[in-house]
Amino acid sequence: MKPEFATVQAWEQADCLMQPALIRTIDHLRQGLESCPWRSRYEEVQEPIPGHRLILENEGQTYGVNIWDLCFQVCFANYQAQPFGDNLPENNQALAVEIDQDLFNDQGEVDWTKLDHKARHCVEAFLAALPTVGHS
């Protein structure tokens, strides 16, 4: 979903958070996928926001997530990840979001440690939600 900001300040805070959230999210995905049985690839998407979708495949199952969706989980306090799976339609709706103020220190600057921890947590939760496949 497209984020919708209530104030200019919220947009400015999101602007400060999105690039580092993207970098940390991709790095944590890379680390998490190293020990994961799922094959991964990225594909370009244009909607709802230009970016990339991570496609995971394993034993005939395919799942995907828009990378921005994971970043939105990191940056916004009230953002729930969209379900992932085969043939999900693109969602072009706007969602009013609130910036996670815990990601800023008392001076209003990005708290890099908290941002990294939240990105790691969001990626770990995403990977843990993947179905277990394989032989028992």
Side-chain angles (χ1 to χ4, degrees):
M1 290 189 183
K2 288 181 177 180
E4 187 174 280
F5 304 101
T7 66
V8 171
Q9 179 187 9
W11 184 89
E12 289 170 349
Q13 287 179 314
D15 193 43
C16 291
L17 289 173
M18 289 307 294
Q19 183 178 12
L22 175 65
I23 291 166
R24 297 311 306 144
T25 298
I26 289 174
D27 190 47
H28 289 302
L29 280 169
R30 180 192 54 78
Q31 292 172 18
L33 291 169
E34 286 176 355
S35 60
C36 181
W38 294 79
R39 288 184 320 268
S40 63
R41 63 183 166 85
Y42 291 92
E43 68 179 22
E44 219 172 310
V45 294
Q46 296 301 315
E47 297 293 332
I49 299 169
H52 291 86
R53 176 184 294 145
L54 171 66
I55 305 297
L56 299 169
E57 299 172 313
N58 192 12
E59 296 189 11
Q61 293 188 43
T62 302
Y63 290 92
V65 64
N66 189 308
I67 298 301
W68 285 126
D69 197 42
L70 292 174
C71 292
F72 294 164
Q73 279 187 275
V74 175
C75 296
F76 306 140
N78 62 333
Y79 192 84
Q80 294 296 318
Q82 301 304 303
F84 52 90
D86 291 320
N87 304 316
L88 283 179
E90 292 295 338
N91 193 338
N92 292 320
Q93 293 179 322
L95 173 69
V97 295
E98 294 177 24
I99 302 297
D100 185 346
Q101 295 299 320
D102 289 340
L103 299 177
F104 293 92
N105 63 24
D106 293 338
Q107 292 76 39
E109 299 169 343
V110 175
D111 184 321
W112 302 106
T113 302
K114 287 181 180 178
L115 179 75
D116 186 57
H117 287 161
K118 190 169 180 190
R120 177 181 290 118
H121 172 76
C122 290
V123 167
E124 287 173 352
F126 165 72
L127 293 175
L130 290 170
T132 305
V133 293
H135 306 287
S136 306

